[in-house]
Amino acid sequence: RATLRTGCTFVMEEPDQSELRKYALVQNAKIQRMVNEAIQMQFPSQSDDDRTHQMAIERCQTYSKSFIDTTFPPCGSSLAGRVAGNEVPQVEWKRLSDIFGSSLFGDSISPNDLQRGALGDHWFLCALAALSEYPALVEAIFPLDTRKAHKCDVYTVRICKSGQWTDVRIDGFVPCYPGAGPMFSSACGDSMCV
């Protein structure tokens, strides 16, 4: 009879800033290549027309690529002026599906799903928390084809802007802390719809 005992000790240390910068540069270069490919693919422009959403999905399937919103590309310039203090921190852009898996809504929808991030103004998250008291309403702001299209990272969200309901098409990229989770808001569970 034999026994084997092992032990490990873990120490949390502040990451080396130069290593973080190198890591972010490599990740950002990879994403820039993806953005350049998306520009070449000529995705249809934003519109309330359902056909442009379907065209974006078809373009992704034709090229076997995921959608990238070239009007709000996953790069530091998209965050300039939107971060408290106007200083753009080190950012790693990750796809929602890489963080939360493939479920748009997770197991359930609840106000407890919301987790604040680094945004200076939380009015939108408060509105989402109030809306999530009624899960059917949250599901209603994501058209049915979005629930299928998230495999291509094409998401359509219905929002009311200045009293008019409009569909906004977005990609699945979110700014994250390097090597960690979302920077501005996230779900406490496995839901990516936050």
Side-chain angles (χ1 to χ4, degrees):
R1 181 177 161 176
T3 59
L4 175 65
R5 292 182 186 199
T6 61
C8 295
T9 303
F10 296 95
V11 177
M12 294 289 288
E13 294 180 356
E14 189 69 30
D16 179 21
Q17 292 301 310
S18 65
E19 290 299 317
L20 275 178
R21 277 191 290 283
K22 282 189 233 174
Y23 178 79
L25 283 173
V26 169
Q27 295 301 318
N28 290 338
K30 183 169 74 173
I31 291 200
Q32 188 57 53
R33 284 191 300 274
M34 293 167 67
V35 169
N36 291 341
E37 288 175 357
I39 291 168
Q40 296 298 318
M41 290 168 57
Q42 298 178 338
F43 283 109
S45 61
Q46 189 71 253
S47 152
D48 283 344
D49 187 349
D50 286 340
R51 289 178 299 150
T52 62
H53 180 78
Q54 192 57 40
M55 287 169 53
I57 293 169
E58 289 169 4
R59 189 86 28 108
C60 290
Q61 292 168 339
T62 299
Y63 290 99
S64 297
K65 300 281 184 186
S66 293
F67 175 69
I68 295 180
D69 180 359
T70 56
T71 62
F72 188 84
C75 62
S77 64
S78 293
L79 299 178
R82 292 178 169 89
V83 180
N86 289 333
E87 183 178 321
V88 179
Q90 291 293 324
V91 174
E92 176 184 5
W93 293 82
K94 294 182 184 177
R95 292 205 179 269
L96 290 169
S97 55
D98 293 337
I99 300 168
F100 298 108
S102 63
S103 176
L104 187 59
F105 300 111
D107 293 334
S108 65
I109 298 171
S110 162
N112 297 329
D113 289 342
L114 298 164
Q115 185 172 346
R116 274 185 20 185
L119 280 178
D121 188 352
H122 301 290
W123 64 268
F124 187 69
L125 289 179
C126 291
L128 282 178
L131 189 66
S132 64
E133 291 282 350
Y134 304 94
L137 293 178
V138 174
E139 291 177 10
I141 64 173
F142 292 92
L144 194 56
D145 59 347
T146 291
R147 297 177 209 171
K148 298 174 194 163
H150 74 272
K151 292 180 180 92
C152 298
D153 283 318
V154 181
Y155 302 91
T156 298
V157 182
R158 260 187 206 121
I159 60 171
C160 186
K161 181 179 178 183
S162 303
Q164 293 289 323
W165 284 98
T166 185
D167 288 352
V168 178
R169 186 176 56 242
I170 58 173
D171 61 30
F173 276 107
V174 293
C176 297
Y177 293 106
M183 195 173 269
F184 298 114
S185 70
S186 68
C188 294
D190 59 350
S191 171
M192 71 169 72
C193 68
V194 175

